[in-house]
Amino acid sequence: MTAQNLPHEPEFEQAYKELASTLENSTLFQKKPEFRKALQVVSVPERVIQFRVVWEDDQGNVQINRGFRVQFNSALGPYKGGLRFHPSVNLSILKFLGFEQIFKNALTGLNMGGGKGGSDFDPKGKSDNEIRRFCVSFMTELCKHIGQDTDVPAGDIGVTGREVGFMFGQYKKIRNQWEGVLTGKGGSWGGSLIRPEATGYGVVYYVEHMIKHASGGKESFAGKRVAISGSGNVAQYAALKVIELGGSVISLSDSQGALLLNSEEGSFTPEEINQIAAIKVERKQISELASTSAFASKFKYIPGARPWTNVTGRIDVALPSATQNEVSGDEAKALIAAGCKFIAEGSNMGSTQDAIDVFEAHREANAGASAIWYAPGKAANAGGVAVSGLEMAQNSARVNWTSEEVDSRLKGIMEDCFKNGLATAQEYVTPAAGSLPSLVAGSNIAGFTKVAEAMKDHGDWW
Ligand code: NDP
């Protein structure tokens, strides 16, 4: 069965169709028709592992969750991709994430295959001891299937340095091996500096190139009003970097609602972002802070809302950074109506296909100062896995690079990622007169061709 016939896996089908349609609408298959076969092969995971996770809650009750690891593609290196702990996790979601990860990892230029895993375990409302017991049980099974040269997971939604630590400890006990089997580790035991910051910083570095290219070098983040969704790892560090570069952050959100500036002036401050970060460590909601007098005087909190249609005043840049499908077609239109010129996904598959269609149609229809440009997560948020790749390199060589060294490599990788997508779009897609090249098509084609060629060399298709 091909990926096209998987109605019971809607998220995976969406991710597959998004990639396949950009390949079809380019000249790739005219120039290289044999790559159609590669697309069929690459869309089936090499291996899917599903397992039972039994753990004990604080009341002594037996709790059961499902654990997964999708080892999607190892053409370019060991499987690499995060673990997500969230009640919504299922095979369709992990297959979509693993599929996108293959091409994202290819775009970093590092030797990493693609994978993703996780569990339908909900860390919210759990004590630290419950989380530790869950992580130990989860890794007791997962450790049979991973290793520094086989499969190297990292964090994702619901998995922070704390969970990585618990899982790393259990791997080490069972396998009696200290090895770089997980990334996102603590700084004193093998973690890379800048890994926590990498995805958020990387998105902003990527958008800097978009702004510079589109404005002919005249503009930067300075003075830009930036709407961000989410308030977790990616959103927090994206917000801090935007402010450092002279932009204003005008919204953040979480799964319960959106927090927005209530005036057309100003920005979240780094102190306010740090306060939000502190409550997120305790797995609390933004609504708790929003009701305090300091926040209530400056922000409006809208329960159940996403930021996009609720911002006061102009939006220049939008960075969806919470979860998949968090921008609908109507919200994409609202963003453009609010003046938004640059949309880049910190989240994976942050935009629905309808939203991408809206952004891409506006890109085609506008030139010069009114150009609108969309960057998909698999390019814009590649900074996280890129620094995970750098963490693997440091672990193998038993060295620690400085923050400056890692940050400078991250900047280089994000620049290459942008330029590669741009150049590949120029080679394979003819844009409407005067419009900017499609970064979604260029990034998809660049990532796909690299993986397809390696698979052909390995005899995976012929
Ligand atoms: P976190 O768990 O740190 O934060 C997730 C944020 O998104 C929280 O604000 C959370 O709200 C919100 N959220 C989660 N689920 C939903 C939902 N169903 N609806 C609305 N809001 C939701 O995760 P990250 O910041 O690490 O990840 C965010 C996105 O970035 C994900 O798509 C992830 O796959 C992607 N990504 C992450 C990378 C990384 O290095 N961490 C790398 C590349 C991509 P609440 O606090 O209420 O739960």
Side-chain angles (χ1 to χ4, degrees), residues 82-88 96-97 101 104 116 122-124 154-160 195-200 203 229-236 252-257 276 279-280 283-286 305-306 320-326 345-350 377-378 380-386 388:
L83 297 170
R84 178 176 289 192
F85 292 169
H86 193 272
S88 64
F96 114 63
L97 289 164
Q101 195 82 47
K104 180 192 307 193
K116 200 82 186 187
D122 186 359
K124 283 204 195 98
D156 189 75
I157 291 177
V159 178
T160 65
R195 176 60 189 90
E197 296 89 342
T199 309
V203 175
S229 64
S231 51
N233 172 266
V234 179
Q236 289 165 22
L252 290 168
S253 67
D254 66 17
S255 58
Q256 304 302 307
I276 292 173
I279 63 154
K280 286 299 168 191
R283 297 180 284 274
K284 291 183 178 162
Q285 299 304 136
I286 283 184
R306 297 195 283 230
S321 301
T323 192
Q324 65 271 6
N325 289 330
E326 54 168 329
E345 293 170 348
S347 49
N348 286 309
M349 208 164 78
K378 63 170 84 67
N381 72 32
V385 75
S388 277

Side-chain angles (χ1 to χ4, degrees), residues 28-261:
L28 178 71
F29 290 148
Q30 289 157 30
K31 292 180 184 164
K32 298 175 181 173
E34 69 278 14
F35 272 19
R36 285 184 192 279
K37 187 54 74 181
L39 178 60
Q40 271 183 295
V41 178
V42 80
S43 65
V44 180
E46 289 175 16
R47 192 174 302 104
V48 174
I49 299 147
Q50 254 185 278
F51 51 97
R52 185 177 68 192
V53 187
V54 182
W55 56 281
E56 188 180 329
D57 69 18
D58 286 345
Q59 287 69 46
N61 301 313
V62 174
Q63 299 286 346
I64 303 130
N65 286 98
R66 293 189 301 159
F68 304 87
R69 186 71 183 164
V70 179
Q71 297 182 330
F72 221 124
N73 193 289
S74 59
L76 299 181
Y79 307 105
K80 182 89 198 86
L83 297 170
R84 178 176 289 192
F85 292 169
H86 193 272
S88 64
V89 161
N90 58 37
L91 195 52
S92 171
I93 288 179
L94 294 180
K95 278 183 67 181
F96 114 63
L97 289 164
F99 187 64
E100 298 245 307
Q101 195 82 47
I102 303 169
F103 310 109
K104 180 192 307 193
N105 293 2
L107 288 169
T108 66
L110 304 174
N111 286 117
M112 298 181 288
K116 200 82 186 187
S119 173
D120 56 3
F121 172 75
D122 186 359
K124 283 204 195 98
K126 304 293 189 299
S127 68
D128 284 353
N129 272 331
E130 288 176 323
I131 289 181
R132 181 178 49 75
R133 285 196 293 272
F134 172 81
C135 289
V136 164
S137 182
F138 182 83
M139 185 51 84
T140 301
E141 178 58 32
L142 187 67
C143 76
K144 299 168 191 165
H145 311 284
I146 61 174
Q148 64 177 350
D149 297 319
T150 317
D151 184 352
V152 184
D156 189 75
I157 291 177
V159 178
T160 65
R162 172 183 44 207
E163 289 76 22
V164 168
F166 293 146
M167 289 190 274
F168 185 80
Q170 181 66 357
Y171 181 90
K172 193 164 57 65
K173 285 187 195 90
I174 297 190
R175 300 281 291 259
N176 195 24
Q177 262 166 239
W178 194 112
E179 60 177 58
V181 66
L182 289 157
T183 57
K185 298 187 288 298
S188 61
W189 43 278
S192 176
L193 292 168
I194 306 289
R195 176 60 189 90
E197 296 89 342
T199 309
Y201 281 14
V203 175
V204 175
Y205 294 156
Y206 188 98
V207 177
E208 263 190 309
H209 289 293
M210 294 170 75
I211 297 173
K212 213 165 134 191
H213 183 92
S215 65
K218 291 195 202 86
E219 291 181 32
S220 69
F221 261 102
K224 295 271 184 293
R225 289 168 51 81
V226 184
I228 301 178
S229 64
S231 51
N233 172 266
V234 179
Q236 289 165 22
Y237 286 109
L240 291 170
K241 186 55 82 175
V242 165
I243 295 167
E244 191 187 315
L245 297 180
S248 302
V249 174
I250 57 177
S251 72
L252 290 168
S253 67
D254 66 17
S255 58
Q256 304 302 307
L259 187 65
L260 307 114
L261 283 181

Side-chain angles (χ1 to χ4, degrees), residues 320-384:
S321 301
T323 192
Q324 65 271 6
N325 289 330
E326 54 168 329
V327 186
S328 67
D330 285 344
E331 286 168 321
K333 287 179 196 156
L335 280 171
I336 290 168
C340 189
K341 297 280 189 294
F342 302 98
I343 306 97
E345 293 170 348
S347 49
N348 286 309
M349 208 164 78
S351 305
T352 60
Q353 189 61 51
D354 283 352
I356 296 174
D357 292 344
V358 170
F359 296 141
E360 285 291 276
H362 279 83
R363 177 187 58 74
E364 287 268 314
N366 292 281
S370 43
I372 283 154
W373 222 5
Y374 159 76
K378 63 170 84 67
N381 72 32

